[in-house]
């Protein structure tokens, strides 16, 4: 039972969901959007192969091509958000996604899928960069706490959507799959409408004589972008590499795959705000990035060792490994918030977030090839190599943070460096 007066309970609930109205609005909009993503992402490949009748190769090539084109839309989209307003650009991108997603129910050919998926990915990249700029404007008082809460609710939204997707997959009818696609389209539209409740934040002018694309001349930020993109392989290590490893190299029951996903999602939802709210400055972000690498250094060998243990010991070891890995994921995402937002100038947040998104998405695009050939091909040695790779990336975090703080022109960050 929750004790205290009704006013006290309301205040506590408000703190959980956001400190003020703009925070609560953006959290609600992001939650709705991610519920839709969860509905669609888990069942999209099945719809296009089983219902539309395209081959797996056709679906994969269409989505890969769309993703590659979309990679390069984030930076110009972010620059547009900086100059025309993040809320406006994000709403337009969401509207485009709502239309392109709705049109997927009419797809009957590879060409149509490729065109619509490409439009969707371009809009997603533009909207993602604009969303980053909007997050920076909304979470001004306690940015780390707000971003941690935002990620908590985003993860929760994906979980709800994935559950709904599972019900539709179990039904396995065209109507069920179409409902998922249209549900995702509706989530984009509703998210855009919710953004109307946000203030229309004024555009911040750039300083005189600044380069048109300052992010490309920012050595510290470019370096962190590369490190962050490479560290992003840890997501595919859980979603792609680990299920294959469990099914082909361990004696753990098959349900262990679902169990590790559930543990990963649960711990990220439960612990993100508690840990992430303490990581606010770039220096704290650098240390958090190092801690993430050390946690992955522990979790990856634990996953590898599951191949050498009996059935139930393997299952227990994998659950323990995913707990350690989830802690690393939380530290890594918190580092991304602290450095990705903290080192970007306020007037160019969209452009900088577009650059960071480009690095991350490039790493995600390369992850399947790297993990299934190099790591899986080498077996246990591949897992150990991956662990060392993550630890080396993390070790560079504090140095990059010091470099970034030292080279920031903003007075507030310069004072932090002096301190």
């Amino acid at each position: 039972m929750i004790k205290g007066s009704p006013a006290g309970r309301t205040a506590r609930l408000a703190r959980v969901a956001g400190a003020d109205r703009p925070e609560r609005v953006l959290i609600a909009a992001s939650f709705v959007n991610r519920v839709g993503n969860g509905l669609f992402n888990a069942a999209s490949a099945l719809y296009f192969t089983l219902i539309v009748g395209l081959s797996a190769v056709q679906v994969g090539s269409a989505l890969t091509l769309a993703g590659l084109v979309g990679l390069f839309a984030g930076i110009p989209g972010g620059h547009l958000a900086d100059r025309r307003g993040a809320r406006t650009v994000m709403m337009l991108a969401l509207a485009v996604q709502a239309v392109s997603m709705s049109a997927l129910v009419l797809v009957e050919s590879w060409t149509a899928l490729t065109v619509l998926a490409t439009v969707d990915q371009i809009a997603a990249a533009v909207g993602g960069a604009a969303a980053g700029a909007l997050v920076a404007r909304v979470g001004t008082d306690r940015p780390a706490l707000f971003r941690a809460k935002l990620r908590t609710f985003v993860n929760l939204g994906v979980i709800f959507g994935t559950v709904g997707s599972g019900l539709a997959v179990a039904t396995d009818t065209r109507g069920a799959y179409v409902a998922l696609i249209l549900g995702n389209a509706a989530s984009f539209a509703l998210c855009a409408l919710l953004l109307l409740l946000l203030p229309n934040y004024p555009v911040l002018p750039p300083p005189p004589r600044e380069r048109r694309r300052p992010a490309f001349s920012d050595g510290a930020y470019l370096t962190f972008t590369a490190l962050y993109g490479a560290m992003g392989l840890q997501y595919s290590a859980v979603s792609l590499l680990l299920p294959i490893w469990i099914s082909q190299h361990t004696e753990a029951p098959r349900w262990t795959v679902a169990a590790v996903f559930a543990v990963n999602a649960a711990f990220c939802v439960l612990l993100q705000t508690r840990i992430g709210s303490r990581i606010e400055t770039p220096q704290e972000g650098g240390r958090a990035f190092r801690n993430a690498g050390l946690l992955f250094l522990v979790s990856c060998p634990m996953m590898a060792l599951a191949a050498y243990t009996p059935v139930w010991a393997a299952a227990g070891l994998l659950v323990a490994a995913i707990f350690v890995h989830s802690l690393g994921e939380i530290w890594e995402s918190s580092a991304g918030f602290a450095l990705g937002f903290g080192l970007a100038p306020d007037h160019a947040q969209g452009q900088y977030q577009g650059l960071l998104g480009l690095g991350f998405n490039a790493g995600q695009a390369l992850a399947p090839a790297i993990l299934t050939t190099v790591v899986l091909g080498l077996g246990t040695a591949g897992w150990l190599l991956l662990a060392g790779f993550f630890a080396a990336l993390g070790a560079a975090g504090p140095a990059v943070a010091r470099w970034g703080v030292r080279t920031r022109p903003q007075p507030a960050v310069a004072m932090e460096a002096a301190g």
Side-chain angles (χ1 to χ4, degrees), residues 101-119:
M101 185 60 55
S102 299
L104 285 179
V105 301
L106 305 176
V107 164
E108 294 182 353
S109 67
W110 177 85
T111 302
L113 174 60
T114 303
V115 170
L116 289 173
T118 300
V119 172

Side-chain angles (χ1 to χ4, degrees), residues 171-363:
T171 305
D172 197 26
T173 63
R174 180 183 182 87
Y177 286 111
V178 167
L180 293 180
I181 294 174
L182 295 180
N184 192 22
S187 77
F188 288 122
L190 181 55
C191 181
L193 291 174
L194 286 171
L195 293 183
L196 287 172
L197 301 176
L198 287 177
N200 192 14
Y201 296 99
V203 172
L204 301 176
R209 297 183 299 278
E210 183 184 70
R211 295 185 180 184
R212 182 173 175 80
R213 296 286 189 270
F216 288 104
S217 59
D218 192 331
Y221 203 91
L222 286 168
T223 301
F224 176 66
T225 296
L227 293 173
Y228 189 65
M231 189 75 93
L233 265 66
Q234 62 90 6
Y235 292 101
S236 294
V238 173
S239 64
L240 175 65
L241 184 60
L242 186 57
I244 298 174
W245 184 258
I246 291 173
S247 61
Q248 296 183 2
H249 297 273
T250 76
E251 296 183 8
R254 292 297 176 89
W255 54 259
T256 307
V257 174
V260 297
F261 277 112
V263 170
N264 177 241
F267 279 118
C268 288
V269 167
L270 293 173
L271 299 178
Q272 181 71 57
T273 300
R274 178 171 296 185
I275 295 175
S277 62
R278 301 198 300 264
I279 303 168
E280 299 194 57
T281 67
Q283 286 98 332
E284 290 168 345
R287 292 191 291 271
F289 201 70
R290 179 187 59 199
N291 292 344
L294 294 175
L295 287 164
F296 297 145
L297 179 65
V298 175
S299 66
C300 288
M302 292 174 69
M303 296 175 189
L305 287 174
Y308 304 95
T309 55
V311 177
W312 296 111
L317 183 60
L318 288 166
V319 170
I322 205 64
F323 170 70
V324 176
H325 198 92
S326 299
L327 290 176
E329 180 180 329
I330 294 170
W331 283 101
E332 185 241 8
S333 64
S334 301
F337 292 146
L339 288 163
F341 287 97
L343 296 181
D346 291 339
H347 68 277
Q349 281 285 353
Q351 183 185 146
Y352 273 70
Q353 298 312 312
L355 175 61
L356 191 65
L358 171 62
F360 179 81
N361 290 331

Side-chain angles (χ1 to χ4, degrees), residues 26 29-30 74-95 97 123-140 146 191-205 341 345-354:
L26 191 53
S30 302
I75 296 175
H79 181 70
L80 183 65
D82 293 328
R83 303 280 63 85
R84 294 292 180 265
R87 189 188 73 161
T88 299
V89 172
M90 186 176 175
M91 288 176 64
L92 289 173
L94 288 166
Q97 286 190 277
V126 172
L134 198 56
V135 168
R137 298 300 295 271
V138 172
T140 52
F146 170 60
C191 181
L193 291 174
L194 286 171
L195 293 183
L196 287 172
L197 301 176
L198 287 177
N200 192 14
Y201 296 99
V203 172
L204 301 176
F341 287 97
D346 291 339
H347 68 277
Q349 281 285 353
Q351 183 185 146
Y352 273 70
Q353 298 312 312

Side-chain angles (χ1 to χ4, degrees), residues 66-75 121 125 354 357-363 365:
L68 290 174
V69 174
L71 279 177
F72 301 98
I75 296 175
Q121 287 300 305
L358 171 62
F360 179 81
N361 290 331

